[in-house]
Structures are given as structure tokens and as C-alpha cells.
Amino acid sequence: MSEKKDFINDEEIFRLLEEGKNPEKAEIREIFAKSKDMVRLEPAETAKLLQIQDEDLLEEMFSLAREIKEEVYGSRIVFFAPLYIGNNCINNCLYCGFRRDNKSIVRKTLTMDELRDEVIALEKNGQKRLILVYGEHPMYDADFIVKTIETVYETTAGSGEIRRVNINAAPMDVEGYRKLHEAGIGTFQIFQETYHHETYAKLHPKGDMKSDYQWRIYGLDRAIEGGIDDVGIGALFGLYDWKFEVMGLLYHTIHLEETFGGIGPHTISFPRIEPALDTPFTQQSKYKVSDEDFKKLVAIIRLSVPYTGMILTARESPEVRREVIPLGVSQIDAGSRIGIGGYAEAAKGYIPEKEQFHLGDIRSLDEVVREVCSIGCVPSFCTACYRAGRTGDHFMSLAKPGFVHKYCMTNALLTFKEYLLDCPSEETKRIGEAVIQKQLEAFEKESPEKRKFAEDKLKLIEQGKHDVYV
């Protein structure tokens, strides 16, 4: 990988952040106008947003982030669940509870029978989208991951089924990614963790699989070369300065778009570091991100890449999630268990000793769905774009001009209706039906035909038909 150009230039990022200090209100508002036109920002522009301190400008930025999210994705919030397959790991990342020297973690890899039990438990709760997570270990190679993907897709519980499987695993070679593509993978996700070279080297001991910065940062290039249309990037905020990491995410986005004809990341993730069992670094990091700065970075990412999906995880507390979701988030997890075998064992209680880190939001899927409804959003379990071929460049051609929600809002209603019929409490059904009716009224204002089309599809679901989508 040493022959590859390193597209993250630390000194250039530091220079732009310094030059971006004390921006004029007029130039910030020009940048806002560019974001509003759904145009991806340049690094110098994002650097200026990162230096905003004026309270009025911050409020304008938060308001614009909400507006852009609504324009591109509508009021829907897509739900998914993480499913941890195994926590064996040959790396010794200082911040991770799964690091190989941590003797306090119970090591476990699901058997295929145990994986089926996990999937059934998730399906009974109404989940339709999963991200499978693996430690970085040779035993979790492409062939093993393919076997887990096939097991998930073939496992059903009554009318429940998993319709999209995304993957978070170690970077592979092109042939490995090709095998995953043939198995029907959705998005392949790799977090660079930190884009700052010196910090990356300190946190990932030399000689480990993960210590090769270049191999990791080009992992998604190889995924696209292997046929995977949708890829996801992310940074673990709290390892280094949050402003630098936002710039790193933008440079990564630009690299992918320039390399692959406009196809950038399908999603951007921005988890904050959380305490982990017997992992002192998580308590000592001097770069922890405050709640106020977290709000800023979410809004700035939304303005910087207006058309890309943004994932907010259950690492965050319910209070933080409630405040941050409107600022540009399009996907969240809920009802999550990150211990190996945690879903099938959930009835026995929470099992933090098996987990990679501490979750901030351990509420049930039903509770989070109900809250999302209460803030005026439509819960969605949609997988239509993936199965209708709206991926890669096709998806971007819809997302960049803000057209994707024209499909998404109808499909959100259909999958939400299915969820309401199959799973939740009576209170959630009552609130959910009101949300559906409100959205149908919004369709009516756009076009009576659009409302009728959606109502006809909803009737099919009420009659017992599943997996109805546009």
C-alpha cells in the first residue's frame, strides 16, 4: 500500500483549521447557501464552519442542518440493529475492550445455530436490517462472513425476516470483498478510528493487523473494486481532536467521490468513545467530545456532505439522541445488545462483562420507535433501495439532488405499518397510526394520487401481505 497516495495530509488540515479561525458572518452564510443547494463543501469551507463560535450562526447552522436532512431524506429515521458475531481479535488497540490482552473479556464466536437464535430474537422484535460485527481475526475471513450472511438471510421467524445485512469487519483484499458481494451484502463499513497519523500509530501497536494505516484507509477502495456498491466510513470521536476528525471524514469522502466517479460513502458514522471493561484509555483520553461540540460536529457533517446518510448509535444517551437526531441523522440503532449472544439472552438481563463498550441507550426497540414518533419523525425499516438496485451511483444520483425521499417516505410508511401490525405495544400502535395518517395528509398536499397510491399499498399490508415496497 506504500505506493498509494496518502490522501490525508495532516499539515494541510492543521493549516486550513488555522486559516479558518474568526470567519466573517458573510462568508459563513455563503457556505450555508452552498450546502442548501446540496453541494458538497470543500475542506477550506468546512474548516470555517468548525471555527464558528457566534451563537446566532450556530443556531442558523443547526436550523439549516434540520432543513437539509428533511429535504434529502424526509422525516423518516431508518432503524437497524448491530449483531456481534465474534469478539476474538489479534489487535491490541488501546481503546478497545476486545483488544487481545484484555483478559477480562469473555471470548466467544457464535455457532451457526446460535446465530439463528439471535436472528430469530431480532425478527420477533421487528428488526429488518442488521449490521454484523466481527473482531479482527483470521478466523473471521471472507468465507466465514459469507456463511454468516447466508445464515441470517435464510433464518425466518413467522412473518419476520432480515432483508438487509451490512458488515463491519476487518479490511480485506478485492477477492474477499467479491465473495461478500456475491452473498448479497448491503453496506461494508470500516472506521478509520482516527485520521491523525501520529495518534493512529500510538493507538495501534506496530506489527498488529490494524497498525497499517494505508491498508485500512484504502480498504473501502478495494471493497468498491470488489463490486460492493455501498460503503460506510466513520471515526471514533475522542481519540484525537474532533475538528481534525471531521476534516478527515470529508477528505475521505472527497477521495472516494473523485476515485469512483462521484460514488462517495453511503453512510458516515461518528460514535464517541465510551468506557469499556478494563480499558483505562477510555477514561483518560483528553480528547473527549462534549455534548455541545457533538451537536456541532453532527450539523457540520450534514452541511459538508448534504446527501450522505448519517448514523447515530446507541452509544449515546436517550437525551443526547433526542437532541441530535433532528440535526441531520438518517439512521439509528435501537434495542441493541452488543454482547456475543446478547439478544437471545436479553430476557436474563444485561451482560456488560461480555461487551466491547458501554451503551448509553439500552431501551427496547418499541420504546425508541415510540419516541421517534413523538418528535415528528417516521420510523422506517425499509430495504427497498438495496433490492431495487438503487445503490452506488444510482443511489447517489437520487440523493444528491434530494430526490431519494420521494421513494423513501412511501416505503417508510409501508415498513412502519408492517412493524405496527406485527410487534409493538398498544400505545406504540396508537401513536404510530397517527404518524401514518399525518404523513398521508402530507402526501395529499403534494398530490391526491400520491396519497391514494400509498393507501392502496397500505391496504395490502393490512390484508396480510408482507414486504410491499416501491
Side-chain angles (χ1 to χ4, degrees), residues 261-272:
I263 304 174
H266 187 73
T267 57
I268 297 176
S269 298
F270 36 89
R272 286 192 288 183

Side-chain angles (χ1 to χ4, degrees), residues 94 96-97 99 101-105 276-282 358:
L94 300 187
C96 183
R99 70 192 187 283
D101 286 353
N102 190 352
K103 306 304 181 186
S104 300
I105 289 289
L277 181 66
D278 200 13
T279 305
F281 179 89
T282 61
H358 296 173

Side-chain angles (χ1 to χ4, degrees), residues 86-88 108-109 134-142 144-145 172:
N87 60 10
N88 287 284
K108 169 72 176 175
T109 300
Y134 309 76
E136 298 204 5
H137 194 283
M139 67 191 296
Y140 308 135
D141 62 9
F144 176 81
I145 293 176
M172 301 180 182

Side-chain angles (χ1 to χ4, degrees), residues 86-141:
N87 60 10
N88 287 284
C89 194
I90 62 172
N91 296 320
N92 220 14
C93 308
L94 300 187
Y95 50 86
C96 183
F98 285 175
R99 70 192 187 283
R100 68 172 182 269
D101 286 353
N102 190 352
K103 306 304 181 186
S104 300
I105 289 289
V106 178
R107 303 293 173 177
K108 169 72 176 175
T109 300
L110 295 176
T111 67
M112 292 305 113
D113 285 341
E114 290 169 332
L115 175 54
R116 291 185 188 94
D117 290 341
E118 290 287 279
V119 173
I120 288 170
L122 286 157
E123 289 171 343
K124 286 182 177 179
N125 281 332
Q127 299 282 9
K128 295 289 187 288
R129 303 166 59 104
L130 301 182
I131 183 162
L132 307 187
V133 185
Y134 309 76
E136 298 204 5
H137 194 283
M139 67 191 296
Y140 308 135
D141 62 9

